[in-house]
């Protein structure tokens, strides 16, 4: 015998998913337009991250609801319903399940391509769940050729967009049918899912035969498959002009090796790592950020009376860059940015020091990040008390000169080209 109501777990999952979907649809429409407007770009970026997070929440809740549905009986249809009505109701339920799986999965596929349809350019952005942890992209897509990723991005977004419209249609039908049952038929079907409504036991229709049940499911899932296919075909991208946006071939990187350090002749210092830091600043989507490197090591030989014999070499583990934002941190670890898998360390090495008067000095040297080396000048202050030195310095780097983010954001539309670096070091002789 069929139960008179859905279980509390099924009811909770139904309304949690419903609220998430109601929020997602207007969110998706708004951010798709706002992301291209300078005045709303920063907010649209943050909404986009929330949209992705809610999508993964819907995917997880839907998987849980499917398991619950398969292991628990559901209320039967009223006996007074016509055959076509019960067929349509069950087909709509199947379509909803298909949508709740297909919409997040096509969204996941889209972000995994690393291609932005809105600008028709590469855009490598990591995915995180509400900023708490990084969600891996789907395998193999990110390693595909640029043309393949571009085509998949357009087709995934086309399917995603059309299915979102399909969700609007299904929601309207579902809500309309529920209200019809409640206020016209007065058969209290709505009470199955809303415990506060009065419920009286009534006659239920017999369970459909297996062949009819399969037909109902095929009809619902077929509707979703047709939407996805039509959206994917309609979104076929136009050919790129003169290869615009295509990625340049990248040679396979060999294992990174560090050259041996030749010590300076000045006094050696031991860095107090707990009291020292290397931080960086910039803007992302119009919002300032500040980060740090958690792991680095330095060797310093310095004497104000022997600047010619002074030297410093600092090695930074680029994979330990932290900003407090899981999306930013995941992106920085990508091949387009620091690429720590191929290039685990960045290296700063001085070539000369210059006194500027008082406690102010200047270090000239080189900075290597990945395979690019650039000359840098680091102004700093040096203060020594009782054999303990305090050093503070700042400089500004052009990330484009260091080949950071050049495929997705060479123009600095998202991440500022200028990145500030600040060092604070305490050391003992």
């Amino acid at each position: 015998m069929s139960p008179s109501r859905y279980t509390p777990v099924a009811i909770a999952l139904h309304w949690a998913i419903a609220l998430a979907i109601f929020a997602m649809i207007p969110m998706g429409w708004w951010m798709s337009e706002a992301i291209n407007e300078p005045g709303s770009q920063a907010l649209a970026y943050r909404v986009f991250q929330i949209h992705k997070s809610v999508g993964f929440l819907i995917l997880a809740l839907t998987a849980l609801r499917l398991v619950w549905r398969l292991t628990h009986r559901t209320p039967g249809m009223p006996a007074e319903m016509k055959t076509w009505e019960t067929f349509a109701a069950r087909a709509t339920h199947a379509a909803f399940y298909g949508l709740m799986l297909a919409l997040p999965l096509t969204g996941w596929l889209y972000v995994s391509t690393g291609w932005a349809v809105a600008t028709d350019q590469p855009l490598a952005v990591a995915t995180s769940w509400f900023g708490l942890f990084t969600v891996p992209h789907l395998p193999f897509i990110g390693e595909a050729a640029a043309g393949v990723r571009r085509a998949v991005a357009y087709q995934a977004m086309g399917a995603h967009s059309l299915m979102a419209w399909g969700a609007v249609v299904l929601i309207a039908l579902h809500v309309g049918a529920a209200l019809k049952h409640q206020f016209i038929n007065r058969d209290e079907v709505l009470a199955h899912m809303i415990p506060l409504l009065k419920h009286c036991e009534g006659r239920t229709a017999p369970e459909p035969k297996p062949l009819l049940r399969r037909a109902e499911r095929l009809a619902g899932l077929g509707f979703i498959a047709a939407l996805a296919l039509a959206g994917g075909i309609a979104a076929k991208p136009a050919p790129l002009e003169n290869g615009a946006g295509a990625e340049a071939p990248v040679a396979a990187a060999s294992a990174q090796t560090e050259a041996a350090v030749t010590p300076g002749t000045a006094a050696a210092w031991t860095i107090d790592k707990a009291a020292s830091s290397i931080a960086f600043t910039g803007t992302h989507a119009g919002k300032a950020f500040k980060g740090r490197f958690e792991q680095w090591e330095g060797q310093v030989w310095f004497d104000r009376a022997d600047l010619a014999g002074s030297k410093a070499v600092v090695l930074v583990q680029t994979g330990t860059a932290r900003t407090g934002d899981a999306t930013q941190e995941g992106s920085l670890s990508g091949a387009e940015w620091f690429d720590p898998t191929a290039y685990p360390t960045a290296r700063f090495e001085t070539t000369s020091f210059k006194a500027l008067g008082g406690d102010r000095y200047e270090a000239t040297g080189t900075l290597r990040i990945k395979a690019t080396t650039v000359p840098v000048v680091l102004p700093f202050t040096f203060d020594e008390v009782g054999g303990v030195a305090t050093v503070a310095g700042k400089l500004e780097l052009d990330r484009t000169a260091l080949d950071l983010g050049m495929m997705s954001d060479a123009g600095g539309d998202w991440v500022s080209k200028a990145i500030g670096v600040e060092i604070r070091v305490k050391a003992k002789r």
Side-chain angles (χ1 to χ4, degrees):
M1 182 176 176
S2 299
S4 60
R5 294 183 188 273
Y6 285 95
T7 64
V9 172
I11 292 173
L13 289 172
H14 172 275
W15 288 112
I17 294 172
L19 288 173
I21 291 175
F22 275 123
M24 288 285 275
I25 293 173
M27 192 188 306
W29 287 336
W30 178 81
M31 70 186 191
S32 297
E33 298 296 329
I35 201 73
N36 296 315
E37 299 296 330
S40 57
Q41 192 176 67
L43 179 58
Y45 168 80
R46 290 189 284 276
V47 171
F48 190 83
Q49 307 315 314
I50 295 172
H51 187 86
K52 291 194 290 183
S53 297
V54 176
F56 281 109
L57 178 62
I58 290 174
L59 183 61
L61 291 177
T62 300
L64 180 59
R65 188 177 177 190
L66 272 171
V67 172
W68 193 264
R69 177 71 181 266
L70 294 173
T71 54
H72 293 76
R73 291 180 63 82
T74 59
M77 299 287 185
E80 295 78 14
M81 285 182 66
K82 297 179 176 64
T83 302
W84 72 266
E85 288 180 314
T86 58
F87 184 95
R90 291 193 174 101
T92 300
H93 276 89
F96 265 121
Y97 279 109
L99 268 180
M100 291 185 297
L101 291 172
L103 274 170
L105 287 173
T106 51
W108 194 3
L109 177 61
Y110 171 68
V111 300
S112 297
T113 64
W115 196 279
V117 167
T119 58
D120 200 15
Q121 291 180 341
L123 182 62
V125 177
T127 297
S128 67
W129 194 73
F130 293 108
L132 299 175
F133 56 84
T134 301
V135 178
H137 288 166
L138 293 171
F140 310 118
I141 300 298
E143 289 75 30
V148 173
R149 291 191 291 109
R150 178 174 180 261
V152 172
Y154 271 86
Q155 290 163 0
M157 181 50 66
H160 190 79
S161 299
L162 194 55
M163 284 191 294
W165 281 107
V168 173
V169 172
L170 287 179
I171 289 170
L173 290 173
H174 189 63
V175 172
L179 294 176
K180 175 180 177 291
H181 280 287
Q182 181 67 17
F183 297 108
I184 297 177
N185 297 358
R186 297 183 182 279
D187 52 19
E188 298 169 351
V189 165
L190 194 56
H192 293 165
M193 193 55 77
I194 303 180
L196 296 178
L197 294 179
K198 182 181 177 181
H199 183 273
C200 296
E201 197 68 41
R203 293 187 308 111
T204 59
E207 286 292 314
K209 294 180 180 181
L211 185 60
L212 181 58
R213 174 54 63 89
R214 285 195 289 270
E216 292 167 346
R217 291 171 179 167
L218 284 173
L221 296 177
F223 172 69
I224 302 307
L227 286 179
L229 183 61
I233 292 174
K236 184 179 179 181
L240 287 172
E241 296 182 4
N242 301 322
E247 293 173 326
V250 178
S254 57
Q256 186 181 38
T257 58
E258 292 296 339
V261 177
T262 303
T265 57
W269 296 80
T270 300
I271 296 175
D272 180 356
K273 293 294 295 296
S276 305
S277 64
I278 300 177
F280 55 92
T281 58
T283 60
H284 178 214
K287 184 179 179 181
F289 68 84
K290 185 173 183 178
R292 70 189 186 284
F293 292 100
E294 292 192 332
Q295 296 179 24
W296 56 276
E297 60 186 36
Q299 300 180 65
V300 179
W301 298 267
F302 185 81
D303 189 333
R304 284 179 284 197
D306 184 14
L307 293 181
S310 298
K311 188 173 185 178
V313 178
V314 179
L315 297 178
V316 178
Q317 302 296 318
T318 56
T320 67
R322 299 292 180 263
T323 65
D325 183 309
T327 302
Q328 293 174 348
E329 292 171 3
S331 299
L332 288 174
S333 294
E336 187 178 342
W337 293 86
F338 284 131
D339 194 9
T341 301
Y343 305 99
T345 59
R347 179 172 177 142
F348 169 71
E349 183 168 355
T350 63
T351 54
S352 64
F353 285 88
K354 179 181 179 182
L356 301 179
D359 62 353
R360 297 182 303 113
Y361 295 85
E362 187 177 84
T364 299
T366 57
L367 174 64
R368 187 209 66 220
I369 296 180
K370 296 195 293 188
T372 303
T373 301
V374 296
V376 293
V377 176
L378 172 64
F380 66 95
T381 59
F382 179 90
D383 181 53
E384 182 183 358
V385 178
V388 177
T390 301
V391 177
K394 292 182 180 180
L395 74 158
E396 189 174 90
L397 299 174
D398 179 358
R399 66 168 177 82
T400 63
L402 289 162
D403 188 27
L404 297 174
M406 291 303 289
M407 288 306 303
S408 298
D409 192 26
D413 298 323
W414 289 98
V415 180
S416 56
K417 290 184 179 181
I419 301 296
V421 178
E422 181 176 355
I423 65 163
R424 293 186 179 276
V425 175
K426 280 192 176 296
K428 294 181 180 180
R429 285 185 180 271

